[in-house]
Amino acid sequence: MRRTYTFLLLLLIGLTIGSCRQKQETTSPTPTPSLVRATKTAYAIGDSITLQLDPSFRVNAVGWDNRPVQPIISSGLLSFKPATATVGYHQLVITGQTTTQKQVSDTLQIDVWSDVIPRRLAYTVLQTYPHQRSSFTQGLAFYNDVLYEGTGLNGQSKLMKVNLSDGATIQSIDLPSQFFGEGITVVNDHIYQLTWTSGQCFYYTTDLVLKKTFVYHTQGWGITHRDTTLIVSDGSNRLTYYSLDFQKLGETVVYDNQGPVTNLNELEYVNGYVLANVWQTNRIVQIDPASGKVVGELRIDPNLPAGVNTNNDVLNGIAYRPGEQALYITGKNWPSLFRIQVKALFEQGRRQTLVLQDALPASKPLSVDRT
Protein backbone atom coordinates (compact mmCIF):
# COMPACT_ATOMS: atom_id res chain seq x y z
CA MET A 1 0.00 0.00 0.00
CA ARG A 2 2.80 2.42 0.94
CA ARG A 3 4.61 1.53 -2.30
CA THR A 4 1.46 2.36 -4.30
CA TYR A 5 1.00 5.65 -2.44
CA THR A 6 4.64 6.62 -3.01
CA PHE A 7 4.35 5.84 -6.72
CA LEU A 8 1.20 7.99 -7.06
CA LEU A 9 2.87 10.85 -5.20
CA LEU A 10 5.93 10.76 -7.47
CA LEU A 11 3.71 10.62 -10.57
CA LEU A 12 1.74 13.65 -9.39
CA ILE A 13 4.93 15.62 -8.72
CA GLY A 14 6.28 14.69 -12.18
CA LEU A 15 3.10 15.82 -13.90
CA THR A 16 3.15 19.11 -12.01
CA ILE A 17 6.77 19.80 -12.94
CA GLY A 18 6.09 18.86 -16.59
CA SER A 19 3.08 21.15 -16.70
CA CYS A 20 5.11 24.06 -15.30
CA ARG A 21 7.94 23.39 -17.74
CA GLN A 22 5.50 23.24 -20.67
CA LYS A 23 3.96 26.51 -19.58
CA GLN A 24 7.40 28.13 -19.40
CA GLU A 25 8.30 26.85 -22.87
CA THR A 26 5.06 27.95 -24.58
CA THR A 27 4.66 31.36 -22.97
CA SER A 28 6.41 34.02 -25.09
CA PRO A 29 7.86 37.13 -23.51
CA THR A 30 5.81 40.30 -23.72
CA PRO A 31 7.09 42.34 -26.70
CA THR A 32 8.62 45.69 -25.96
CA PRO A 33 6.37 48.38 -27.47
CA SER A 34 7.92 50.70 -30.06
CA LEU A 35 8.71 54.11 -28.66
CA VAL A 36 8.69 55.77 -32.09
CA ARG A 37 6.23 55.20 -34.94
CA ALA A 38 6.18 56.70 -38.42
CA THR A 39 2.82 58.29 -39.27
CA LYS A 40 3.10 57.16 -42.93
CA THR A 41 4.62 54.12 -44.64
CA ALA A 42 6.36 56.25 -47.29
CA TYR A 43 7.26 59.85 -48.01
CA ALA A 44 8.09 61.82 -51.14
CA ILE A 45 11.25 63.86 -51.58
CA GLY A 46 10.57 67.26 -50.05
CA ASP A 47 8.12 65.95 -47.43
CA SER A 48 8.59 66.54 -43.73
CA ILE A 49 9.18 63.30 -41.82
CA THR A 50 6.69 63.02 -38.94
CA LEU A 51 6.87 60.49 -36.11
CA GLN A 52 4.58 59.66 -33.20
CA LEU A 53 6.44 59.48 -29.87
CA ASP A 54 5.48 57.37 -26.87
CA PRO A 55 4.67 59.66 -23.91
CA SER A 56 7.30 57.87 -21.81
CA PHE A 57 10.11 58.66 -24.27
CA ARG A 58 12.28 61.76 -24.22
CA VAL A 59 14.34 62.34 -27.37
CA ASN A 60 18.01 63.28 -27.05
CA ALA A 61 19.27 62.98 -30.64
CA VAL A 62 18.04 62.22 -34.16
CA GLY A 63 20.21 60.93 -37.01
CA TRP A 64 19.26 60.66 -40.70
CA ASP A 65 21.65 58.46 -42.68
CA ASN A 66 24.29 58.94 -39.95
CA ARG A 67 23.94 62.73 -39.99
CA PRO A 68 22.42 64.67 -37.08
CA VAL A 69 19.21 66.62 -37.66
CA GLN A 70 17.39 69.16 -35.51
CA PRO A 71 13.74 68.10 -35.16
CA ILE A 72 10.69 69.99 -33.94
CA ILE A 73 8.94 68.17 -31.08
CA SER A 74 5.42 69.19 -30.13
CA SER A 75 2.32 67.45 -28.76
CA GLY A 76 3.88 64.01 -28.98
CA LEU A 77 5.02 64.45 -32.56
CA LEU A 78 8.57 64.70 -33.87
CA SER A 79 9.06 66.24 -37.31
CA PHE A 80 11.93 67.38 -39.51
CA LYS A 81 12.62 67.99 -43.18
CA PRO A 82 15.76 66.34 -44.55
CA ALA A 83 18.00 68.90 -46.24
CA THR A 84 18.61 66.47 -49.10
CA ALA A 85 17.08 63.11 -49.88
CA THR A 86 17.44 60.54 -52.60
CA VAL A 87 14.82 57.93 -53.41
CA GLY A 88 14.91 54.63 -51.59
CA TYR A 89 15.27 53.54 -47.99
CA HIS A 90 16.95 55.84 -45.47
CA GLN A 91 18.01 55.02 -41.94
CA LEU A 92 16.51 57.08 -39.14
CA VAL A 93 17.98 56.59 -35.65
CA ILE A 94 16.40 58.20 -32.60
CA THR A 95 18.06 57.96 -29.19
CA GLY A 96 16.74 59.08 -25.84
CA GLN A 97 15.55 57.90 -22.46
CA THR A 98 12.37 56.71 -20.83
CA THR A 99 10.74 58.12 -17.69
CA THR A 100 12.63 55.43 -15.78
CA GLN A 101 15.93 56.94 -17.08
CA LYS A 102 16.61 53.94 -19.29
CA GLN A 103 18.75 54.86 -22.32
CA VAL A 104 17.19 53.50 -25.52
CA SER A 105 17.61 53.76 -29.28
CA ASP A 106 15.08 53.10 -32.02
CA THR A 107 15.97 52.58 -35.71
CA LEU A 108 13.47 52.96 -38.53
CA GLN A 109 13.80 52.46 -42.28
CA ILE A 110 12.02 55.29 -44.09
CA ASP A 111 11.05 54.75 -47.74
CA VAL A 112 11.30 57.91 -49.84
CA TRP A 113 9.52 58.07 -53.19
CA SER A 114 10.12 60.33 -56.16
CA ASP A 115 8.65 63.83 -56.20
CA VAL A 116 8.34 63.73 -60.00
CA ILE A 117 5.17 62.71 -61.83
CA PRO A 118 6.43 60.98 -65.01
CA ARG A 119 5.29 62.75 -68.13
CA ARG A 120 3.56 60.66 -70.77
CA LEU A 121 5.71 60.41 -73.90
CA ALA A 122 3.80 60.25 -77.16
CA TYR A 123 5.00 58.11 -80.03
CA THR A 124 4.23 57.58 -83.70
CA VAL A 125 4.83 54.34 -85.60
CA LEU A 126 7.07 55.20 -88.54
CA GLN A 127 7.67 51.77 -90.01
CA THR A 128 6.92 48.09 -89.41
CA TYR A 129 9.43 45.33 -90.13
CA PRO A 130 9.09 41.53 -90.07
CA HIS A 131 10.31 39.77 -86.92
CA GLN A 132 10.80 36.05 -86.36
CA ARG A 133 7.95 34.58 -84.29
CA SER A 134 10.37 31.96 -82.99
CA SER A 135 12.52 34.61 -81.27
CA PHE A 136 11.92 34.88 -77.52
CA THR A 137 13.45 38.35 -77.56
CA GLN A 138 15.53 39.35 -74.55
CA GLY A 139 17.92 41.96 -75.96
CA LEU A 140 18.08 44.25 -78.99
CA ALA A 141 20.91 46.58 -80.03
CA PHE A 142 22.32 48.41 -83.05
CA TYR A 143 26.04 48.71 -83.63
CA ASN A 144 27.54 50.24 -86.78
CA ASP A 145 24.07 49.97 -88.36
CA VAL A 146 23.95 46.21 -87.73
CA LEU A 147 21.02 44.91 -85.68
CA TYR A 148 21.88 42.32 -83.00
CA GLU A 149 19.30 40.30 -81.08
CA GLY A 150 19.60 38.02 -78.06
CA THR A 151 16.94 35.43 -77.24
CA GLY A 152 16.05 33.34 -74.19
CA LEU A 153 14.71 29.98 -72.97
CA ASN A 154 16.91 27.03 -72.09
CA GLY A 155 17.92 25.14 -75.19
CA GLN A 156 16.72 27.97 -77.46
CA SER A 157 18.90 30.91 -76.41
CA LYS A 158 21.11 32.47 -79.05
CA LEU A 159 22.79 35.65 -80.24
CA MET A 160 22.05 36.78 -83.79
CA LYS A 161 22.84 39.32 -86.45
CA VAL A 162 19.51 40.18 -88.03
CA ASN A 163 18.57 41.72 -91.36
CA LEU A 164 16.29 44.59 -90.39
CA SER A 165 14.41 44.76 -93.67
CA ASP A 166 13.15 41.17 -93.70
CA GLY A 167 13.91 39.84 -90.18
CA ALA A 168 16.11 37.05 -91.52
CA THR A 169 19.07 35.75 -89.53
CA ILE A 170 22.40 36.74 -91.05
CA GLN A 171 24.53 34.89 -88.47
CA SER A 172 23.86 33.27 -85.11
CA ILE A 173 25.51 31.43 -82.25
CA ASP A 174 23.70 29.17 -79.78
CA LEU A 175 24.19 29.30 -76.03
CA PRO A 176 24.75 25.98 -74.25
CA SER A 177 21.38 24.51 -73.27
CA GLN A 178 21.84 25.15 -69.54
CA PHE A 179 21.87 28.92 -70.13
CA PHE A 180 18.82 31.18 -70.44
CA GLY A 181 19.91 34.17 -72.54
CA GLU A 182 19.01 37.69 -71.48
CA GLY A 183 19.85 41.31 -72.43
CA ILE A 184 22.66 42.41 -74.76
CA THR A 185 24.73 45.54 -75.39
CA VAL A 186 27.63 46.29 -77.74
CA VAL A 187 30.69 48.25 -76.57
CA ASN A 188 33.98 48.84 -78.40
CA ASP A 189 33.43 46.10 -81.00
CA HIS A 190 32.39 43.55 -78.39
CA ILE A 191 28.99 42.18 -77.37
CA TYR A 192 27.93 41.46 -73.79
CA GLN A 193 25.09 38.95 -73.32
CA LEU A 194 23.66 38.27 -69.87
CA THR A 195 22.16 35.01 -68.65
CA TRP A 196 19.22 34.86 -66.28
CA THR A 197 20.18 32.83 -63.19
CA SER A 198 23.60 31.45 -64.16
CA GLY A 199 25.59 34.53 -63.11
CA GLN A 200 27.58 34.53 -66.34
CA CYS A 201 27.90 37.15 -69.04
CA PHE A 202 29.13 36.00 -72.45
CA TYR A 203 31.58 38.31 -74.22
CA TYR A 204 31.80 38.09 -78.02
CA THR A 205 33.37 39.90 -80.94
CA THR A 206 30.90 41.53 -83.31
CA ASP A 207 31.47 38.51 -85.57
CA LEU A 208 29.93 36.37 -82.79
CA VAL A 209 33.16 34.74 -81.66
CA LEU A 210 33.04 33.98 -77.93
CA LYS A 211 36.11 35.45 -76.20
CA LYS A 212 35.43 34.94 -72.48
CA THR A 213 32.78 35.02 -69.77
CA PHE A 214 32.35 37.34 -66.80
CA VAL A 215 30.78 36.47 -63.45
CA TYR A 216 28.19 38.52 -61.56
CA HIS A 217 26.23 37.70 -58.42
CA THR A 218 22.67 38.72 -59.21
CA GLN A 219 20.06 37.64 -61.70
CA GLY A 220 20.70 39.01 -65.17
CA TRP A 221 17.80 40.74 -66.96
CA GLY A 222 18.74 43.79 -69.05
CA ILE A 223 21.99 45.51 -69.96
CA THR A 224 23.04 48.74 -71.68
CA HIS A 225 25.99 51.11 -71.35
CA ARG A 226 27.13 54.71 -71.19
CA ASP A 227 30.63 55.01 -72.64
CA THR A 228 32.66 52.47 -70.62
CA THR A 229 30.09 51.94 -67.87
CA LEU A 230 27.78 48.92 -68.07
CA ILE A 231 24.27 49.35 -66.64
CA VAL A 232 22.49 46.15 -65.58
CA SER A 233 19.00 45.31 -64.28
CA ASP A 234 18.19 42.25 -62.17
CA GLY A 235 14.37 42.26 -62.08
CA SER A 236 14.14 44.42 -58.96
CA ASN A 237 13.99 48.24 -58.96
CA ARG A 238 17.78 48.46 -58.98
CA LEU A 239 20.23 49.47 -61.70
CA THR A 240 23.79 48.29 -61.03
CA TYR A 241 26.85 49.84 -62.67
CA TYR A 242 29.88 47.79 -63.70
CA SER A 243 33.18 48.41 -65.39
CA LEU A 244 33.78 46.66 -68.72
CA ASP A 245 35.40 43.73 -66.86
CA PHE A 246 32.36 43.47 -64.55
CA GLN A 247 33.75 45.12 -61.43
CA LYS A 248 30.89 46.70 -59.53
CA LEU A 249 31.00 50.51 -59.47
CA GLY A 250 27.74 51.47 -57.77
CA GLU A 251 23.98 51.26 -58.00
CA THR A 252 20.82 53.32 -58.18
CA VAL A 253 17.31 52.38 -57.05
CA VAL A 254 14.43 53.44 -59.28
CA TYR A 255 11.22 55.09 -58.06
CA ASP A 256 8.34 57.06 -59.45
CA ASN A 257 5.77 59.02 -57.47
CA GLN A 258 3.88 55.78 -56.73
CA GLY A 259 6.85 53.95 -55.19
CA PRO A 260 9.58 51.55 -56.34
CA VAL A 261 9.41 50.55 -60.02
CA THR A 262 10.23 46.85 -60.05
CA ASN A 263 10.62 44.28 -62.86
CA LEU A 264 13.06 46.49 -64.75
CA ASN A 265 14.05 44.39 -67.73
CA GLU A 266 15.54 45.16 -71.16
CA LEU A 267 17.50 48.45 -71.12
CA GLU A 268 18.68 51.07 -73.59
CA TYR A 269 20.68 54.24 -72.92
CA VAL A 270 19.27 57.14 -74.95
CA ASN A 271 20.22 60.81 -74.76
CA GLY A 272 21.46 60.61 -71.18
CA TYR A 273 18.59 58.55 -69.80
CA VAL A 274 18.04 54.83 -69.26
CA LEU A 275 14.97 53.38 -70.93
CA ALA A 276 13.64 50.19 -69.35
CA ASN A 277 10.92 47.75 -70.27
CA VAL A 278 8.81 47.01 -67.20
CA TRP A 279 8.31 43.26 -67.47
CA GLN A 280 4.77 41.99 -68.10
CA THR A 281 3.50 45.48 -68.94
CA ASN A 282 3.35 47.62 -72.07
CA ARG A 283 5.27 50.34 -70.22
CA ILE A 284 8.74 51.69 -71.01
CA VAL A 285 10.07 54.05 -68.33
CA GLN A 286 12.58 56.86 -68.81
CA ILE A 287 14.96 56.92 -65.83
CA ASP A 288 17.33 59.67 -64.72
CA PRO A 289 20.29 57.46 -63.70
CA ALA A 290 21.75 60.15 -61.44
CA SER A 291 18.69 60.31 -59.17
CA GLY A 292 16.84 57.07 -59.91
CA LYS A 293 13.66 59.01 -60.64
CA VAL A 294 11.34 57.98 -63.44
CA VAL A 295 10.83 61.20 -65.38
CA GLY A 296 8.84 59.90 -68.34
CA GLU A 297 7.05 56.86 -69.67
CA LEU A 298 5.86 55.32 -72.92
CA ARG A 299 2.66 53.30 -72.89
CA ILE A 300 2.71 51.10 -75.96
CA ASP A 301 -0.69 50.22 -77.42
CA PRO A 302 -1.52 46.67 -76.21
CA ASN A 303 -2.97 45.98 -79.69
CA LEU A 304 0.48 46.48 -81.19
CA PRO A 305 1.10 44.17 -82.95
CA ALA A 306 -2.43 43.23 -84.00
CA GLY A 307 -3.55 39.71 -83.16
CA VAL A 308 -0.91 39.12 -80.47
CA ASN A 309 -1.80 38.57 -76.81
CA THR A 310 0.76 40.93 -75.33
CA ASN A 311 -0.09 39.71 -71.82
CA ASN A 312 1.72 36.50 -72.73
CA ASP A 313 4.01 37.60 -75.55
CA VAL A 314 5.21 40.66 -73.70
CA LEU A 315 6.94 43.79 -74.90
CA ASN A 316 10.69 43.27 -74.55
CA GLY A 317 13.29 44.82 -76.79
CA ILE A 318 14.48 48.41 -77.23
CA ALA A 319 17.16 49.51 -79.67
CA TYR A 320 18.42 52.96 -80.59
CA ARG A 321 20.35 53.73 -83.75
CA PRO A 322 22.53 56.85 -83.29
CA GLY A 323 21.55 59.72 -85.53
CA GLU A 324 17.85 58.89 -85.52
CA GLN A 325 15.23 60.42 -83.24
CA ALA A 326 13.51 57.06 -83.13
CA LEU A 327 13.43 53.77 -81.25
CA TYR A 328 13.08 50.20 -82.46
CA ILE A 329 10.88 48.00 -80.29
CA THR A 330 9.62 44.43 -80.36
CA GLY A 331 8.55 41.68 -77.98
CA LYS A 332 8.82 38.00 -77.18
CA ASN A 333 7.66 35.98 -80.20
CA TRP A 334 6.25 39.05 -81.92
CA PRO A 335 5.79 38.87 -85.71
CA SER A 336 6.80 42.51 -86.08
CA LEU A 337 9.45 45.01 -85.07
CA PHE A 338 8.46 48.69 -85.00
CA ARG A 339 10.37 51.89 -85.61
CA ILE A 340 8.70 54.57 -83.52
CA GLN A 341 9.29 58.29 -83.25
CA VAL A 342 9.44 59.74 -79.73
CA LYS A 343 10.28 63.41 -80.19
CA ALA A 344 10.15 64.32 -76.51
CA LEU A 345 13.10 62.03 -75.75
CA PHE A 346 15.34 64.30 -77.79
CA GLU A 347 13.86 67.71 -76.99
CA GLN A 348 15.34 67.79 -73.49
CA GLY A 349 18.97 68.08 -74.58
CA ARG A 350 21.59 65.44 -74.11
CA ARG A 351 22.82 64.74 -70.59
CA GLN A 352 26.59 64.60 -70.73
CA THR A 353 27.50 62.80 -67.53
CA LEU A 354 26.49 59.67 -65.72
CA VAL A 355 26.82 60.05 -61.95
CA LEU A 356 27.31 56.78 -60.10
CA GLN A 357 25.96 56.45 -56.59
CA ASP A 358 25.77 53.80 -53.94
CA ALA A 359 22.35 53.07 -52.51
CA LEU A 360 20.74 50.89 -49.91
CA PRO A 361 19.29 47.73 -51.46
CA ALA A 362 15.67 48.34 -52.37
CA SER A 363 14.62 44.73 -52.73
CA LYS A 364 15.97 41.27 -53.29
CA PRO A 365 16.34 40.07 -56.88
CA LEU A 366 13.13 38.39 -57.87
CA SER A 367 12.90 34.62 -58.25
CA VAL A 368 10.25 34.25 -60.90
CA ASP A 369 9.37 32.11 -63.88
CA ARG A 370 10.36 34.18 -66.91
CA THR A 371 8.73 31.76 -69.34
Side-chain angles (χ1 to χ4, degrees):
M1 182 72 178
R2 181 179 300 174
R3 182 177 299 171
T4 302
Y5 174 78
T6 303
F7 172 76
L8 291 174
L9 180 62
L10 291 173
L11 178 62
L12 180 61
I13 293 172
L15 290 173
T16 303
I17 293 173
S19 175
C20 292
R21 180 178 298 161
Q22 184 178 19
K23 185 176 181 180
Q24 284 181 338
E25 289 173 351
T26 57
T27 302
S28 58
T30 302
T32 302
S34 176
L35 298 175
V36 182
R37 182 176 59 85
T39 58
K40 296 198 303 183
T41 57
Y43 297 83
I45 290 176
D47 285 352
S48 290
I49 309 298
T50 304
L51 308 170
Q52 180 76 48
L53 300 176
D54 187 276
S56 67
F57 184 54
R58 178 180 176 181
V59 176
N60 293 334
V62 178
W64 176 264
D65 290 340
N66 297 318
R67 295 181 180 179
V69 297
Q70 297 299 321
I72 297 173
I73 300 176
S74 177
S75 302
L77 295 176
L78 179 153
S79 63
F80 69 97
K81 190 171 184 178
T84 58
T86 55
V87 295
Y89 283 98
H90 296 259
Q91 183 173 270
L92 178 62
V93 180
I94 300 177
T95 58
Q97 60 188 34
T98 65
T99 52
T100 60
Q101 305 303 308
K102 181 181 179 181
Q103 299 295 319
V104 294
S105 177
D106 206 348
T107 301
L108 293 83
Q109 297 294 326
I110 305 296
D111 197 14
V112 177
W113 295 0
S114 173
D115 56 346
V116 175
I117 299 175
R119 66 171 179 161
R120 186 68 65 90
L121 301 173
Y123 71 91
T124 303
V125 176
L126 299 176
Q127 197 163 354
T128 302
Y129 301 93
H131 181 255
Q132 297 181 47
R133 283 298 297 259
S134 60
S135 292
F136 194 80
T137 305
Q138 298 289 74
L140 203 64
F142 276 103
Y143 189 72
N144 291 338
D145 285 332
V146 176
L147 180 61
Y148 294 87
E149 183 172 0
T151 68
L153 299 177
N154 295 97
Q156 301 180 41
S157 298
K158 61 182 63 177
L159 176 65
M160 303 181 291
K161 284 185 184 180
V162 177
N163 188 318
L164 176 63
S165 61
D166 62 10
T169 301
I170 299 171
Q171 184 184 359
S172 72
I173 182 172
D174 294 335
L175 275 66
S177 61
Q178 69 267 32
F179 294 103
F180 189 119
E182 288 283 346
I184 67 171
T185 195
V186 192
V187 190
N188 297 339
D189 296 325
H190 286 85
I191 305 166
Y192 293 80
Q193 183 177 27
L194 299 178
T195 56
W196 178 23
T197 56
S198 304
Q200 293 194 53
C201 176
F202 292 93
Y203 182 70
Y204 309 87
T205 68
T206 50
D207 291 325
L208 309 192
V209 176
L210 180 63
K211 302 293 288 185
K212 64 174 71 173
T213 59
F214 297 107
V215 175
Y216 51 92
H217 301 288
T218 66
Q219 289 190 13
W221 286 45
I223 184 170
T224 187
H225 72 281
R226 168 66 163 96
D227 296 331
T228 58
T229 299
L230 301 174
I231 307 170
V232 175
S233 64
D234 63 6
S236 68
N237 69 320
R238 177 172 42 241
L239 297 177
T240 304
Y241 307 112
Y242 294 94
S243 65
L244 294 183
D245 58 354
F246 259 88
Q247 299 302 307
K248 185 176 177 180
L249 303 174
E251 62 183 38
T252 297
V253 289
V254 177
Y255 280 70
D256 63 14
N257 61 313
Q258 300 298 312
V261 180
T262 59
N263 288 333
L264 298 177
N265 201 4
E266 154 77 339
L267 306 177
E268 187 71 26
Y269 189 85
V270 180
N271 207 40
Y273 295 89
V274 175
L275 301 182
N277 281 126
V278 180
W279 184 53
Q280 290 188 313
T281 76
N282 67 337
R283 184 185 185 202
I284 296 174
V285 292
Q286 180 192 20
I287 303 163
D288 175 0
S291 66
K293 299 177 185 180
V294 173
V295 298
E297 65 178 12
L298 275 166
R299 295 278 184 170
I300 304 300
D301 186 341
N303 295 315
L304 189 70
V308 172
N309 182 351
T310 52
N311 290 323
N312 296 323
D313 297 328
V314 297
L315 174 74
N316 198 45
I318 315 170
Y320 169 65
R321 182 151 58 175
E324 296 185 29
Q325 293 191 2
L327 301 176
Y328 294 77
I329 65 169
T330 190
K332 302 176 189 293
N333 305 123
W334 281 18
S336 305
L337 183 149
F338 301 94
R339 179 172 174 257
I340 62 174
Q341 186 178 55
V342 192
K343 289 183 177 179
L345 280 176
F346 304 93
E347 292 171 350
Q348 302 168 73
R350 181 174 175 82
R351 295 169 60 89
Q352 295 297 326
T353 59
L354 173 61
V355 179
L356 304 183
Q357 66 177 25
D358 291 322
L360 291 172
S363 60
K364 296 181 180 179
L366 303 179
S367 296
V368 293
D369 183 358
R370 303 293 307 285
T371 60

